[in-house]
Amino acid sequence: MNDIPWITVGRVLCCGYTHTPEGRFLSEEGLADYFAKAATEQELVDLLKVANGCFALILPLNQCLYAAVDGIRSIPLFYLDKPLPDPGANPESLICGHAHDLGTPGPAIEPDILAEYLMTGYVTGADTLIPEVKQLQAGHYLKWEVEKHPVQSPYYRYLHETRDDEPLPELLARLDQIHLKVAHRLADSLSGRTAVVPLSGGYDSRLVAWLLKRIGYPSIICFTYGATGNPESEISRRVAQALGLRWIFTPHNRQLWHAAYQSLDRKKYYALACNAVSSAHIQDWLSVKIMKEKRMIPADAVFVPGHSADFLEGSHLPESFFKNAEITKTQLYEAIIRRHYSLWKDPGHKYQESFSQRIDSILSSPDQLSNTEAASLFDHWDHRERQAKFIINSVRAYEFWDFSWRLPLWDHELVDFWTGIPLSYKHKRNLWHSYQTLYFPMQIPVFDTPPLAQRARDKFLRPGWGNINDIRYGRFAPFQNPIQYASVKVQSLLNQEFEYPAFVKPGKPLLKCDLNAIQALISLL
């Protein structure tokens, strides 16, 4: 139950992997040797810009201490916000992968930061829940000079850069060729080990499974989970069957979730995954635990999730950005708050103002934007905050059970393609749907909504009982009878050391709260 191993070679401390522009796959000593070539700050930046992978590094160089994370912050780094005492100081005492090794969260958390964490499930910008500890942001590197405070600088920003229009058939053909190159790079990095694909009822994970199958990768396992007979798992099974791939289903129920969630393992996992920044992503943690304990997958298997194709393809962009040619800064920030600051209801004007200020500290938007500019900044914020600190942070679940992982859909070439297409092609994922219609061999519908009978039942029960049919709420309270289950309140999960914002209602039943809102609360216990 460990995180990614760090390798020390000479003056470089690093972990992760990358593909070089020449096509070589590097990890461990090879990755360290790659960054050791930097003799100046600019050379380090140049190497970071073309390193196509998931990595973090610490590098003493020219009487300074440098550190960096990849463009999506897949491996987090934290540092103390104080002057560097000595260039020869032990780097690991100042910069490390675990915020709790540098400090401890407590009631001194700034109220606005606590409110943001509870409303989004993560802390934006460079802040953490520990006042003296900062986080390196996605696509940033750190420079720390003697007797000066550390300074972060971006070497990569996720922004739309629309290029000359191409006819749709040529765009689709180019995307297909990029997909094939991504698949071959992924296969090269796997070195024959079994690829384990978390196969949902959507498009993203089936794209990963299909690409591996398409290039003839010899060892692929797909898995899904949930209540027995759930419709999303049935779609997953059909996709795996159509591809001729082995499929594992791990059934979940309230009792199983409750036992696992109350266990010491889950508490240790939270220490690894929350890291004073993120609400732990626990969605497939239980399934990985089950598959490991039952030896359903090889010990050296590599998990390959489909993060974050839907984001790249435009699914997160507000409809208003496609209907209006001009967007104001206020409208942009309000759209971000509506989409992402939403785990609790009615934060109030005070926090709306605070959230807007924190967003502005990251985006510094002009007062008036074209819809293309607004969409670019909206996605830039989503990439740097939600994708990096919540979605991608889900790989901690694999690390915890001692498995490696890859993120092929964040390959540089694929990301560069999607940032370069016209905004109109991202409306309702138009370009993607054209691609999957033309190229996908299995036209199996994706999971959209539960069956009508389930939706009608939930609509009837939810006002009085909350999400009583959702087995995932079994994490938080044992199911003895419906009345007892629905009566467990938010109050039971509050840490008496903290002063919570007013939008956290102690008397609200847990079954009427957002799952991620509850898990953010639990991370503070």
Side-chain angles (χ1 to χ4, degrees):
M1 300 178 186
N2 300 308
D3 51 75
I4 293 180
W6 284 74
I7 300 294
T8 302
V9 177
R11 57 198 171 94
V12 180
L13 181 65
C14 68
C15 62
Y17 65 90
T18 193
H19 295 273
T20 69
E22 300 78 30
R24 292 182 299 135
F25 173 74
L26 302 176
S27 63
E28 299 182 342
E29 288 84 358
L31 182 67
D33 289 340
Y34 173 81
F35 286 114
K37 293 186 296 185
T40 66
E41 178 180 347
Q42 186 57 53
E43 289 181 4
L44 174 61
V45 171
D46 292 341
L47 290 170
L48 289 169
K49 286 180 177 179
V50 297
N52 185 9
C54 298
F55 56 82
L57 69 120
I58 302 170
L59 173 65
L61 179 64
N62 300 334
Q63 300 298 302
C64 295
L65 188 58
Y66 289 88
V69 294
D70 60 58
I72 195 60
R73 186 192 172 271
S74 62
I75 303 169
L77 275 182
F78 302 88
Y79 61 94
L80 289 171
D81 188 18
K82 68 177 188 179
L84 181 65
D86 180 344
N90 177 16
E92 294 175 79
S93 67
L94 303 168
I95 307 173
C96 65
H98 298 286
H100 298 281
D101 289 345
L102 301 175
T104 304
I109 299 172
E110 182 183 327
D112 287 351
I113 291 177
L114 177 60
E116 179 182 64
Y117 178 75
L118 293 173
M119 191 59 80
T120 63
Y122 38 89
V123 182
T124 66
D127 293 316
T128 73
L129 295 175
I130 307 171
E132 68 273 18
V133 176
K134 301 298 181 182
Q135 58 174 313
L136 254 173
Q137 300 174 83
H140 280 62
Y141 74 97
L142 186 76
K143 181 179 181 180
W144 206 342
E145 298 179 82
V146 177
E147 297 183 357
K148 293 184 179 180
H149 282 263
V151 176
Q152 287 195 49
S153 300
Y155 68 86
Y156 172 77
R157 299 180 75 206
Y158 183 92
L159 293 169
H160 300 181
E161 298 176 357
T162 304
R163 303 174 187 97
D164 294 338
D165 288 354
E166 288 181 65
L168 181 60
E170 293 180 16
L171 268 179
L172 297 176
R174 183 156 66 89
L175 176 59
D176 192 55
Q177 290 304 305
I178 292 171
H179 278 158
L180 287 174
K181 288 191 279 186
V182 168
H184 283 293
R185 281 193 283 267
L186 171 60
D188 185 39
S189 79
L190 295 174
S191 301
R193 290 176 291 174
T194 298
V196 180
V197 181
L199 191 60
S200 70
Y203 285 120
D204 303 351
S205 55
R206 73 173 68 176
L207 172 63
V208 172
W210 171 60
L211 288 175
L212 284 170
K213 176 72 175 182
R214 185 178 173 188
I215 65 169
Y217 193 74
S219 184
I220 310 166
I221 296 175
C222 300
F223 80 97
T224 192
Y225 46 83
T228 300
N230 76 83
E232 189 169 8
S233 69
E234 173 59 20
I235 291 174
S236 169
R237 183 195 64 79
R238 289 174 58 194
V239 170
Q241 184 179 50
L243 292 173
L245 299 176
R246 181 185 168 195
W247 180 76
I248 295 173
F249 176 72
T250 57
H252 294 175
N253 56 47
R254 289 187 184 90
Q255 293 76 18
L256 192 64
W257 256 124
H258 190 259
Y261 205 82
Q262 306 308 314
S263 69
L264 181 59
D265 276 339
R266 196 277 303 168
K267 294 172 184 175
K268 289 179 179 178
Y269 171 62
Y270 261 47
L272 171 69
C274 293
N275 238 337
V277 169
S278 304
S279 174
H281 196 297
I282 200 165
Q283 189 167 315
D284 52 2
W285 177 84
L286 178 56
S287 288
V288 180
K289 165 184 164 69
I290 292 170
M291 290 189 293
K292 176 174 180 164
E293 290 176 347
K294 295 187 175 182
R295 299 183 180 180
M296 302 167 79
I297 56 177
D300 65 347
V302 181
F303 281 77
V304 191
H307 309 322
S308 302
D310 65 320
F311 163 76
L312 297 173
E313 295 152 10
S315 70
H316 292 200
L317 293 172
E319 185 67 21
S320 61
F321 288 10
F322 298 99
K323 293 181 177 178
N324 302 306
E326 298 291 329
I327 306 292
T328 67
K329 176 169 76 171
T330 298
Q331 290 170 331
L332 169 62
Y333 292 0
E334 287 176 348
I336 292 173
I337 290 172
R338 278 195 305 273
R339 174 99 187 178
H340 298 291
Y341 291 72
S342 57
L343 298 186
W344 298 90
K345 303 300 181 186
D346 305 320
H349 179 74
K350 169 189 172 184
Y351 286 120
Q352 292 277 2
E353 284 292 315
S354 167
F355 298 155
S356 291
Q357 290 170 10
R358 290 187 64 78
I359 293 168
D360 191 57
S361 70
I362 295 168
L363 297 185
S364 299
S365 170
D367 291 333
Q368 199 74 25
L369 308 96
S370 70
N371 60 347
T372 297
E373 292 168 333
S376 183
L377 288 181
F378 186 95
D379 270 353
H380 172 58
W381 190 96
D382 191 333
H383 163 269
R384 195 157 123 183
E385 305 303 335
R386 178 172 172 79
Q387 297 302 313
K389 296 170 183 174
F390 183 67
I391 301 301
I392 301 304
N393 196 51
S394 66
V395 299
R396 309 284 89 80
Y398 312 135
E399 292 170 18
F400 183 80
W401 298 113
D402 294 325
F403 291 107
S404 298
W405 47 266
R406 298 288 185 267
L407 296 173
L409 302 187
W410 279 106
D411 185 280
H412 280 199
E413 191 172 2
L414 185 59
V415 173
D416 184 62
F417 171 86
W418 284 109
T419 57
I421 67 167
L423 183 61
S424 60
Y425 281 132
K426 293 194 171 188
H427 187 213
K428 298 182 179 179
R429 300 174 76 180
N430 284 337
L431 182 63
W432 164 254
H433 289 303
S434 296
Y435 176 82
Q436 65 90 15
T437 298
L438 184 62
Y439 284 90
F440 259 35
M442 64 288 184
Q443 295 300 315
I444 297 170
V446 298
F447 177 76
D448 185 14
T449 58
L452 179 61
Q454 181 180 336
R455 281 182 280 144
R457 181 186 62 195
D458 289 348
K459 185 176 181 180
F460 174 76
L461 292 173
R462 193 165 287 136
W465 297 86
N467 295 295
I468 198 165
N469 291 311
D470 191 332
I471 64 170
R472 295 173 297 175
Y473 283 80
R475 301 168 188 173
F476 317 120
F479 186 89
Q480 297 170 8
N481 59 70
I483 295 175
Q484 168 272 334
Y485 194 55
S487 66
V488 181
K489 302 292 197 298
V490 166
Q491 178 66 49
S492 65
L493 300 180
L494 299 184
N495 186 329
Q496 299 307 310
E497 294 184 2
F498 291 92
E499 183 176 346
Y500 291 89
F503 56 73
V504 177
K505 307 294 185 183
K508 187 174 183 178
L510 292 186
L511 289 180
K512 294 187 178 182
C513 295
D514 185 284
L515 274 170
N516 290 321
I518 302 172
Q519 291 178 172
L521 280 179
I522 290 175
S523 68
L524 297 173
L525 290 175

